[in-house]
Amino acid sequence: MRHRFLPIFNAALLTAVVVTGCGKSTSYRQPDDDDDTVYNVGIISENGNTNLEQGFRDALEDTLGEKHVNIVTKQLSDGDVNDTAAEMVQEKPSVILTESESALSSTYSLVKNDDDTSVISTNVQDILRASGAEKKDDDSDDDRTTGINVTGISSNPYVSDQLSELIEATPNIRSVGILYSPDDTDTVKVDRTLETFLTQAGIEYREYILPSKLYKSLMTDGDDASSTTLLNSIRNSDETDPTVPLISENFAKRLHPEYTDEELMEWEQKTRKSLALASDKKIINTAVRQNDALYIAGGSLDSKISSIATAAKKARVATFGGDQKTGQQTLVTLWSDPYDTGYQAGKMAYQILANGQKASDMQVLYRTRSSFVKLYNKSYADALGLTFGKSFHEYSEYMKDYTPGSNTTRVEETDE
């Protein structure tokens, strides 16, 4: 059972995500009865985030009072994030809640010079980078402020914990296939961290590009100036060009121990060529065939998770889903109540609206490890002949009894 448990990882890699807290304490007091102030707040809504949005609304009504809040919601549809952000900005809200990297990036690009509008981001691993803002000269792990009119709360589970759960669910794991799309830069950042942990744990890995609609269009229509510019931006979005799939040192040797170094290099070149612009089915089946487990951070691959999980389950390959949508169908996932994420974001909005705090000075928050629940899907586990201990909960059973916000401490007037 080699690699059953992770070694102690380099602490420097975890510093940015293990601390939590809101900074200085906040007093919550609703406006007086004769106060007719109404705060305009916007939500760029994503499909499936109903509980997060409800938590946000409840926090604003708990802290400000229902009659003092006007919430405008714009539904994000596939492919029109820039248009949706522009429509929202025209409403002139004082605070805008975004629920994805694309919504954050598009919204911030429109309000970065607007001192009267703040953005609160959720469901993004690296909020500063995702906003497209310049890195601060004094940026450090201890200072989690952005220096721009953006703050937020990351509800993503810690990458080391994700890998620990995947190892626990996969006996004798030797290699992990990492599925991603290069234009999903937040996912690329998560993948890079995961690869560092995999190397420390002695587990091989290979990346597989499963292109989003945007990235596929760039690859097929990349001759025009705008496409070329965007492709170059994607290539430069990470220290290692995300348009070139990475492979660990001994991955190919594990599959073909009889090959010489020259033959291994030729094998990898042929593999890359065969997968370039290949169908999703071929890419998924290749990843399934070559690995013991698959890692899907989520994001742009949410719409493809059903195909991935079906192929992997049939081949008796474990899968980890890195967000709420992917986790519904993968073998295992780490889950945190989205209502609570939304509620904490609503409390941050109160600080901006009622207490006059600036988003640029507010600490970006991270969920504590204890807020995550280890979940597995029974039908998937049965197909692989796996059983899970008491530290895991079965996904459908847990959700059947789940009440949004059941573990959220809601604020009361004058609460400290």
Side-chain angles (χ1 to χ4, degrees):
M1 300 292 284
R2 188 170 68 92
H3 310 317
R4 189 62 176 169
F5 298 101
L6 286 177
I8 297 175
F9 290 120
N10 186 338
L13 293 170
L14 290 175
T15 303
V17 293
V18 296
V19 287
T20 186
C22 301
K24 56 187 177 182
S25 61
T26 301
S27 175
Y28 300 94
R29 188 179 298 277
Q30 292 188 5
D32 295 334
D33 291 339
D34 58 353
D35 190 335
D36 60 359
T37 301
V38 176
Y39 299 97
N40 289 320
V41 178
I43 300 176
I44 297 183
S45 178
E46 306 267 343
N47 289 327
N49 287 345
T50 304
N51 290 332
L52 186 150
E53 293 167 16
Q54 188 60 53
F56 184 71
R57 291 172 179 272
D58 287 350
L60 288 172
E61 294 180 5
D62 287 352
T63 56
L64 292 170
E66 184 176 357
K67 71 176 184 179
H68 295 288
V69 183
N70 175 48
I71 300 178
V72 177
T73 300
K74 298 291 183 181
Q75 185 67 47
L76 180 62
S77 301
D78 188 30
D80 72 346
V81 61
N82 293 323
D83 292 341
T84 304
E87 292 175 5
M88 176 58 74
V89 171
Q90 289 178 359
E91 299 287 341
K92 299 187 181 303
S94 297
V95 170
I96 301 174
L97 177 75
T98 63
E99 304 173 20
S100 67
E101 178 179 2
S102 59
L104 167 59
S105 178
S106 296
T107 303
Y108 174 68
S109 69
L110 297 173
V111 303
K112 61 183 177 181
N113 297 319
D114 184 356
D115 293 335
D116 296 326
T117 304
S118 298
V119 180
I120 296 179
S121 168
T122 57
N123 295 336
V124 173
Q125 188 82 9
D126 187 338
I127 290 175
L128 180 61
R129 180 205 50 73
S131 68
E134 295 183 4
K135 186 178 178 66
K136 298 183 297 178
D137 292 336
D138 61 345
D139 189 39
S140 68
D141 292 332
D142 293 330
D143 180 12
R144 302 189 322 277
T145 61
T146 66
I148 57 177
N149 54 337
V150 173
T151 189
I153 176 169
S154 175
S155 57
N156 294 9
Y158 314 124
V159 180
S160 60
D161 291 351
Q162 294 179 47
L163 180 54
S164 291
E165 185 180 22
L166 183 57
I167 289 174
E168 192 174 355
T170 313
N172 299 316
I173 186 171
R174 297 165 299 168
S175 68
V176 175
I178 301 170
L179 301 174
Y180 76 107
S181 184
D183 56 304
D184 191 345
T185 50
D186 201 51
T187 292
V188 170
K189 180 178 177 63
V190 174
D191 291 345
R192 296 292 184 257
T193 304
L194 174 69
E195 288 156 10
T196 299
F197 291 149
L198 285 168
T199 300
Q200 291 185 6
I203 301 172
E204 306 300 329
Y205 64 84
R206 191 191 192 282
E207 296 181 343
Y208 301 82
I209 292 178
L210 195 58
S212 65
K213 290 182 180 179
L214 169 62
Y215 188 70
K216 189 174 291 186
S217 68
L218 291 175
M219 295 303 293
T220 55
D221 305 317
D223 293 335
D224 62 279
S226 61
S227 295
T228 300
T229 299
L230 185 50
L231 271 174
N232 288 334
S233 175
I234 292 171
R235 292 188 180 102
N236 295 324
S237 63
D238 190 75
E239 292 180 1
T240 303
D241 183 356
T243 66
V244 180
L246 296 182
I247 182 171
S248 62
E249 183 177 1
N250 295 314
F251 182 89
K253 192 70 174 178
R254 183 187 65 82
L255 294 176
H256 303 287
E258 75 282 5
Y259 281 11
T260 65
D261 290 345
E262 183 177 345
E263 288 172 328
L264 290 172
M265 185 176 297
E266 182 180 354
W267 173 86
E268 174 59 13
Q269 290 173 344
K270 288 182 177 179
T271 300
R272 291 188 182 189
K273 185 175 181 179
S274 69
L275 293 178
L277 299 180
S279 66
D280 288 353
K281 182 178 180 180
K282 180 177 180 179
I283 296 168
I284 293 168
N285 286 339
T286 301
V288 166
R289 187 174 65 253
Q290 294 179 348
N291 295 278
D292 303 314
L294 301 182
Y295 175 85
I296 311 102
S300 63
L301 299 190
D302 284 343
S303 63
K304 303 181 181 184
I305 189 58
S306 179
S307 298
I308 298 170
T310 298
K313 181 165 61 173
K314 183 177 180 180
R316 299 174 63 84
V317 170
T319 50
F320 180 93
D323 65 11
Q324 184 181 7
K325 294 178 182 178
T326 57
Q328 292 177 16
Q329 299 187 58
T330 54
L331 174 63
V332 290
T333 189
L334 279 170
W335 181 87
S336 183
D337 187 352
Y339 178 96
D340 193 64
T341 296
Y343 198 88
Q344 303 312 317
K347 289 166 66 176
M348 299 177 85
Y350 173 89
Q351 296 177 38
I352 295 169
L353 297 169
N355 288 349
Q357 292 194 30
K358 293 186 177 297
S360 58
D361 298 330
M362 296 174 63
Q363 297 279 314
V364 172
L365 305 184
Y366 294 89
R367 306 314 307 269
T368 60
R369 278 192 166 87
S370 61
S371 67
F372 290 97
V373 180
K374 295 194 294 186
L375 300 179
Y376 75 97
N377 281 288
K378 186 178 186 302
S379 62
Y380 200 139
D382 289 346
L384 272 62
L386 297 175
T387 57
F388 289 87
K390 293 182 179 180
S391 64
F392 282 83
H393 298 270
E394 202 284 318
Y395 194 103
S396 59
E397 289 295 320
Y398 187 87
M399 291 304 171
K400 183 175 66 175
D401 297 329
Y402 158 66
T403 301
S406 56
N407 293 318
T408 300
T409 302
R410 296 177 61 162
V411 301
E412 298 178 0
E413 190 174 357
T414 72
D415 201 7
E416 292 286 341

